[in-house]
DNA sequence: CTTGACATCGAACAGCAGTTCGCATATACT
DNA sequence: AGTATATGCGAACTGCTGTTCGATGTCAAG
């Protein structure tokens, strides 16, 4: 009776229901909270809120989502729409593969002073013109949580031997620890700057090693060295 | 100089603000969407919605969360309350415009045993399922026609001084000519292979220069050297 | 004591949001 | 044709939600 292949199940939905499901997923990923009935209606060209409500209940009956009655934005997505994904019902994992492309914020330049403090972004669908956003394929992250990823533009040639040049975009994952030799962005409170270096814990001090034979390492006290993220990748357009 | 330790920063918050932050996190985890101002107030024993609003704005100024103005449940948490995290403010991921993403085929490995065959003039709508597809932002191409772009995975370290390592993905534009010194993929009929080198026209011969001091250039007759594409960029995930 | 910054409270307002209901349309089946 | 089912529309209702404003209390600095 029931085919358990998510792809097949997904195809049994009406175009409208697919559009609703897709929109909800994109909306949650973009805004961090679920849309209202009317927001869904506008996005999917549905004139009446009752029709959105009707289709949401259909999707609920089909197990695609949950609703909290009489609460605004009370929608939770329950399972992926395409095959090859875990049919988990856990909260928090439901955003994967909304699109195969993720946007990560480029929050400043490294080795330039502190990363730029960004103004509040209450603009809804509009991008803050001062903030670069770079798009990469989700596959490139190889499972790393998108929300932990950000990007920096490299300034200087201190990591030239690690094949990271001035102007390159480095993609980082937020983390507070690392192993010796890994490339990390570190915040140095004493200097008021963030820098990209190879990290070595020498017990009483931290050695931050440039990957450039002409440059000397920086030594800092562990209390004055806060790891901000580890380098996941590099991008360069010549 | 201010202390940037988030644990310390967290301790500077008032008890009320800590309670609010904790409640929001628990609420989102439990219900899948953020709470309203009044829900926060009830949970944290705050009599007036304006007080909740006031403290939420304080938390926003401190970089703990983001708010979408005039939208119900428009709260996004930005960073955990404990353990060292970068004190940088994130940008919320915005509604994705899939049209800004282009798919380019990764058609093989360069400097590999098997010769690389380029697809026809248009890669078309279909992609061979065995061919990897790389998705990048259209912006990265800076105006170059998408249909002329493809990608190759680099094998070998012959371009190490050009900051291109084994395993990197190079993005190329199809073209048959180039200027001296540019990095190009060239098809060498005599050798039956495609290689990535710096191109120099020396009149009677073509010099294909590795960017690796330990490797000698390749000299070929102009008739046995067919330029396939010019390097536009490099991507690497470590 | 006065001042000002900070935090809180209560109340009100305008618009938002989920729900419900009557009615219309389309399709499949009898 | 007639009926049942599924889907869609518009309107209205009621409660919810973010915002704003004036007033009050606290406390440290001048």
């Amino acid at each position: 009776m029931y085919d358990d292949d998510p792809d097949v199940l997904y195809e049994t939905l009406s175009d409208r229901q697919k559009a609703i499901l897709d929109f909800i997923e994109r909306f949650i990923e973009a805004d961090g909270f679920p849309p209202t009935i009317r927001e869904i209606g506008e996005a999917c060209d549905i004139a009446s809120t009752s029709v959105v409500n009707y289709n949401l209940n259909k999707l609920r009956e089909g197990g695609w989502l949950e609703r909290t009655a009489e609460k605004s934005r009370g929608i939770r997505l329950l399972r992926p729409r395409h095959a090859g994904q875990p049919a988990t019902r856990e909260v928090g994992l439901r955003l994967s593969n909304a699109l195969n492309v993720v946007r990560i914020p480029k929050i400043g330049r490294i080795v330039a002073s502190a990363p730029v403090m960004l103004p509040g972004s209450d603009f809804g669908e509009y991008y803050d013109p001062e903030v670069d956003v770079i798009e990469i394929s989700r596959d490139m992250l190889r499972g790393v949580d998108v929300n932990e990823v950000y990007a920096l533009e490299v300034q200087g040639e201190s990591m030239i031997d690690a094949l990271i040049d001035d102007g390159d975009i480095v993609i980082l994952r937020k983390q507070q620890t690392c192993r010796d030799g890994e490339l990390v962005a570190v915040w140095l409170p004493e200097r008021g700057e963030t820098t990209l270096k190879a990290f070595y814990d020498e017990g009483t001090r931290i050695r931050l090693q440039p990957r450039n034979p002409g440059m000397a390492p920086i030594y800092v006290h562990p209390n004055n060295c806060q790891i901000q993220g580890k380098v996941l990748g590099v991008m360069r357009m010549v």
Side-chain angles (χ1 to χ4, degrees), chain A:
Chain A
M1 176 64 190
Y2 277 110
D3 194 322
D4 227 38
D5 181 347
D7 269 339
V8 175
L9 281 180
Y10 181 68
E11 291 308 321
T12 65
L13 297 175
S14 71
D15 288 343
R16 216 158 227 197
Q17 287 163 357
K18 290 183 206 170
I20 290 174
L21 221 41
D22 289 346
F23 173 72
I24 293 172
E25 207 157 7
R26 280 187 286 116
F27 190 99
I28 292 178
E29 179 161 2
D31 285 13
F33 48 85
T36 66
I37 285 180
R38 284 172 178 80
E39 285 167 343
I40 296 172
E42 288 172 21
C44 301
D45 287 316
I46 300 174
S48 176
T49 58
S50 63
V51 176
V52 178
N53 190 56
Y54 170 83
N55 283 287
L56 284 177
N57 287 332
K58 286 288 173 185
L59 289 168
R60 180 173 50 77
E61 290 164 12
W64 296 96
L65 48 79
E66 282 180 345
R67 301 185 68 186
T68 299
E70 300 181 5
K71 288 218 171 190
S72 64
R73 306 180 189 275
I75 298 173
R76 286 175 297 287
L77 295 181
L78 286 183
R79 60 178 172 186
R81 288 154 300 126
H82 303 292
Q85 299 175 290
T88 175
R89 301 208 168 204
E90 284 181 35
V91 178
L93 295 181
R94 57 182 178 273
L95 300 180
S96 61
N97 262 26
L99 295 165
N100 197 32
V101 173
V102 296
R103 295 187 165 202
I104 60 183
K106 196 181 91 177
I107 58 177
R109 296 184 175 215
I110 196 162
V111 192
S113 77
V116 183
M117 295 300 278
L118 301 170
S121 48
D122 294 341
F123 295 100
E125 296 104 16
Y126 298 102
Y127 294 90
D128 189 319
E130 297 185 28
V131 179
D132 280 338
V133 177
I134 71 174
E135 289 173 319
I136 63 175
S137 169
R138 183 183 296 273
D139 299 334
M140 288 186 64
L141 296 181
R142 289 201 275 262
V144 175
D145 185 351
V146 178
N147 296 317
E148 298 179 349
V149 177
Y150 60 104
L152 293 172
E153 181 176 336
V154 174
Q155 193 164 62
E157 301 184 346
S158 66
M159 302 306 285
I160 200 76
D161 274 6
L163 307 179
I164 298 174
D165 198 5
D166 183 273
D168 288 5
I169 306 293
V170 287
I171 299 163
L172 302 104
R173 169 165 71 174
K174 287 192 246 180
Q175 59 183 54
Q176 296 74 52
T177 61
C178 70
R179 287 194 285 266
D180 275 5
E182 287 187 331
L183 302 187
V184 291
V186 289
W187 166 250
L188 303 176
E190 286 178 338
R191 296 162 177 255
E193 69 177 29
T194 301
T195 186
L196 188 68
K197 295 286 182 296
F199 181 95
Y200 295 92
D201 185 348
E202 301 185 343
T204 59
R205 64 181 185 179
I206 303 295
R207 175 163 57 93
L208 300 174
Q209 181 69 52
R211 288 276 185 254
N212 183 327
M215 299 178 70
I218 296 173
Y219 295 99
V220 294
H221 190 274
N223 288 345
N224 275 304
C225 172
Q226 183 183 356
I227 298 173
Q228 293 198 322
K230 166 188 165 184
V231 172
L232 290 181
V234 188
M235 304 174 71
R236 176 190 323 132
M237 295 309 270
V238 293

